[in-house]
Amino acid sequence: LASLLLTACVGGGANFKTEYDPLGPDATDAWRLADVRVSVPNSLTVSEAETLLPNADIVWREDPAGDRHAQVATIMKNAITQGAQGLRGSRRVIIDVTVTRFHALTFRAEQSEADWGVHNIRFTARVLDAATGEVLVGPVDIRAELPALSGKAMREARAKGQTQKKMITAHVARTVAGWLGIGPDNRNDFSRQGN
């Protein structure tokens, strides 16, 4: 029944991507990370429904029940801070991010034996001079979508200590490093059943 519902809900799959306009070393060589600021607007809808594909901007389950906006902000701040660690210049900058979507899998969706699911992360970013507040870059839209694990693959990953949070954090960090030109280009696209 679950696979029938899944097929009915998501059809043949959709196109997802990790996408950004990379900044070249000429732009970022002089920068050093001073701070990361993350805003998760209260206008973003949250779903706690334990369905396969909740219709909301924020779907997050791995932290205990609570303020999902604050939990997402913490995850994103940690990920962006990791991704920007390679900035080694002398000009101190602030990366200022506004999350527009953070849609991970529900536990029900994660338990599905179908090979499906997407962690759908989107945000806008600006880079500011930490001393003056001058906007150096942005705002720019960044998509950091990645295939999620479900069923047996996710159970095996969890047995090895991998969680949705670790996978999302690592992917967002790689995406930010690629955007800043201090890591490999992380852009890609894929087709997959998910939301």
Side-chain angles (χ1 to χ4, degrees):
L1 178 61
S3 72
L4 286 174
L5 285 172
L6 180 60
T7 302
C9 289
V10 297
N15 292 323
F16 297 95
K17 60 181 70 179
T18 292
E19 181 178 59
Y20 50 83
D21 289 328
L23 300 172
D26 291 345
T28 64
D29 274 353
W31 295 350
R32 176 178 297 275
L33 185 66
D35 195 12
V36 173
R37 298 177 185 163
V38 177
S39 169
V40 183
N42 288 332
S43 59
L44 295 183
T45 58
V46 177
S47 175
E48 297 292 341
E50 196 53 53
T51 61
L52 288 173
L53 293 170
N55 184 18
D57 300 311
I58 296 174
V59 175
W60 179 244
R61 297 292 189 275
E62 280 191 345
D63 287 318
D67 183 344
R68 300 299 189 194
H69 293 81
Q71 292 168 358
V72 166
T74 298
I75 294 165
M76 291 297 289
K77 181 168 184 169
N78 291 339
I80 294 160
T81 301
Q82 286 179 32
Q85 286 305 302
L87 295 174
R88 300 280 183 234
S90 58
R91 186 177 194 177
R92 297 173 70 249
V93 297
I94 297 166
I95 299 177
D96 181 58
V97 164
T98 300
V99 175
T100 56
R101 186 166 178 82
F102 191 98
H103 199 292
L105 265 61
T106 64
F107 289 128
R108 180 173 175 197
E110 182 185 294
Q111 292 163 7
S112 168
E113 292 302 325
D115 183 20
W116 80 296
V118 175
H119 295 309
N120 191 334
I121 316 298
R122 299 182 191 186
F123 54 100
T124 61
R126 299 185 306 159
V127 179
L128 313 174
D129 183 289
T132 67
E134 176 190 355
V135 177
L136 305 175
V137 172
V140 295
D141 293 324
I142 298 177
R143 293 172 67 170
E145 300 162 353
L146 72 153
L149 299 180
S150 61
K152 180 181 178 187
M154 190 60 195
R155 288 191 297 276
E156 289 174 351
R158 284 194 181 277
K160 296 175 184 173
Q162 279 293 333
T163 62
Q164 289 187 32
K165 184 184 290 187
K166 286 182 179 178
M167 291 177 216
I168 290 169
T169 298
H171 185 71
V172 171
R174 287 190 302 270
T175 299
V176 168
W179 168 58
L180 293 172
I182 54 176
D185 191 350
N186 201 41
R187 291 176 293 175
N188 65 53
D189 56 73
F190 59 96
S191 180
R192 192 167 175 89
Q193 295 177 332
N195 191 5

